[in-house]
Every structure is written in C-alpha cells, then in structure tokens.
Amino acid sequence: MRLSRALVCLSAVAAAALSTTAYAYAAPAAVNYAAVGDSYASGVGTQSSYDNGCDRSSKGYPSLWAAAHSVSAFTNVACSGAKTGDVINGQVGSLSSANTVVTVTVGGNDAGFSSTMESCIVGGDSGCNTAVNKAKAFVSSTLPGLLDNTYNAIRGHAPNATVYVVGYPRFYQLGGSCSVGLSDTSRGYINSGADALDTAISAAAGRHGFRFVDVRIAFANHGICSSSAWLNSVSWPVVNSYHPNSSGYSSGYLPALTAVTG
C-alpha cells in the first residue's frame, strides 16, 4: 500500500517535470522584423547593378539576418542616400505595433559622408582634415537632435519592437597595403570621423533605450588597404564606393548584429 502511494507520488513529480520541460522548450515567439535607414542598411556595395530605386540588395545585413533567424515577417524600406528626415518622412510609416525587431542605420549622409570623401580625395591632407572637422562639428552639435527625432518616430510607429541601432565601420587599415590614393594621414582623419559618428549614434541610442551595434571590432583588419578588405574603395558602379562588399555584410555586419540580438 505504501509502495503504491510512493509510485503515485513519483508519477506526479515526473508529470510536473515533463510539464515544466515542455514549457521551457516552447517554440520561440514569431519575429516580425523591419529594417530602415540608408545605403548601409539597404545593402549597397554588394552588386554590379540594382533593380530598385533604393539600391536594396539581398546581400545586405537586414536580408541576411532575416534569413538566419527564420523570421515570420520581414520588411526592408532602407534606401540609398537616406538622411534622418527621409527615415521619418518616408520609411517609418511602414512600421507598426506588430514589429518585434527593428534595425536602423542612419546619420552618415546627414553628416556629409559623400562630400567629405570627395574633399579628402581631391583636397589632400589639409582639405581632408578641414572636411572631416566640419563633419565632426555637425555630428557633435546638430546630429544628436536629428537622431532623437528619428528614434522617437521609430518608437512611435513600432511601440513593441526591440530597436537595434547599427553603426558604421572605420574605412581604412592604417599602414596597409595601398600604395596609391589617399595618404595614411588622410585615412586616419576619415577613421576619426567614423569614430565620432559612432559615438554620437551610440549615445543617442542609449538615450532612447535602444541597443547599439558596434561593427568596428568586427571590421578590424578588414578595412580598405588590408589584405582582406571588407569595404570597397573607389569602385564601379560608383555607388558601391566606400560601402561594405558581400564579405563585409556577411562576415562583419551579420555576426555583430547577431551577437547583440542573440
């Protein structure tokens, strides 16, 4: 009689354990993912041509992350050339309360990315230093407010999403193998501009409770002039210039984003 009661108790404990185990290993919630931002979010740098006005590529980090995580829904409205105002006025309208994950990369165009690079290419070290310092001044004084407005708009349209703010890499491997083009001095100026931009973006992300994804460590030893560059130098088509190549997105951006998202 006592043995029977003991067996009943053991059965009850086993059933409870099985129930707990079943709960612990329940299928994860569906992921509804949306990407907004500029050319670094649209995937520029990976193709010889693009079939849409925003230069989106399936080799960019949003598409790669969506495929790697088997998301239930995926929307990428990032667009080449986009500034913070473009994200607010033309992209966040695609977000909704159904989104559980949102990524954004933006700010480089506001800071004058293209014009700064042009000044560095044609203006020598002095012209490059002047252009980078002008961009840095904008990044410290004006960009924070623009980012705040953008992040507020993202949160307003996607109130239930975890938002990941994905930064920019340093462009150059200093002391690398490039024998022509910009001097190491100018390359250092450009890298310092990328650092200033990431610092401002990271601070803004923190103010809004968003997660900053720093890709600079992932790109270490893979800048332009390295033996294994993950970024394009001056390229054809020109739009690909100074953007990650396919390896940059798959081996740099994707692991960095995955490390933060889990």
Side-chain angles (χ1 to χ4, degrees):
M1 192 67 173
R2 291 176 182 172
L3 180 59
S4 297
R5 282 198 292 266
L7 289 173
V8 170
C9 291
L10 285 172
S11 297
V13 170
L18 288 172
S19 176
T20 303
T21 301
Y23 178 81
Y25 290 94
V31 176
N32 186 315
Y33 170 39
V36 300
D38 59 21
S39 54
Y40 275 67
S42 68
V44 168
T46 63
Q47 297 182 199
S48 59
S49 62
Y50 301 88
D51 58 4
N52 58 69
C54 284
D55 298 329
R56 298 189 195 106
S57 168
S58 61
K59 299 177 183 178
Y61 79 77
S63 294
L64 296 176
W65 191 90
H69 291 77
S70 301
V71 302
S72 60
F74 171 51
T75 302
N76 186 2
V77 293
C79 198
S80 178
K83 297 182 178 181
T84 51
D86 299 310
V87 173
I88 294 171
N89 297 318
Q91 297 184 20
V92 298
S94 297
L95 306 180
S96 74
S97 59
N99 293 130
T100 59
V101 172
V102 171
T103 59
V104 54
T105 300
V106 74
N109 291 319
D110 294 83
F113 162 72
S114 295
S115 61
T116 299
M117 291 305 303
E118 290 172 3
S119 295
C120 286
I121 291 170
V122 303
D125 290 346
S126 176
C128 186
N129 189 36
T130 298
V132 171
N133 283 337
K134 179 181 178 181
K136 285 182 177 179
F138 179 91
V139 165
S140 64
S141 64
T142 305
L143 186 61
L146 298 177
L147 292 173
D148 285 338
N149 292 338
T150 305
Y151 297 166
N152 283 333
I154 290 173
R155 175 54 71 213
H157 285 79
N160 301 316
T162 301
V163 181
Y164 298 94
V165 179
V166 187
Y168 299 90
R170 298 184 184 100
F171 284 1
Y172 287 98
Q173 176 74 38
L174 300 184
S177 59
C178 293
S179 59
V180 296
L182 300 176
S183 70
D184 243 21
T185 299
S186 288
R187 293 166 188 159
Y189 293 150
I190 293 168
N191 283 355
S192 72
D195 285 336
L197 181 58
D198 278 328
T199 296
I201 292 172
S202 176
R207 290 194 297 272
H208 293 264
F210 296 168
R211 299 286 303 278
F212 177 65
V213 180
D214 193 340
V215 301
R216 288 172 292 181
I217 294 176
F219 274 80
N221 300 316
H222 294 286
I224 299 169
C225 297
S226 71
S227 59
S228 177
W230 289 353
L231 293 117
N232 301 307
S233 185
V234 177
S235 305
W236 185 259
V238 175
V239 68
N240 286 339
S241 302
Y242 303 110
H243 287 81
N245 55 31
S246 296
S247 293
Y249 287 113
S250 64
S251 299
Y253 267 89
L254 178 60
L257 179 57
T258 299
V260 177
T261 58

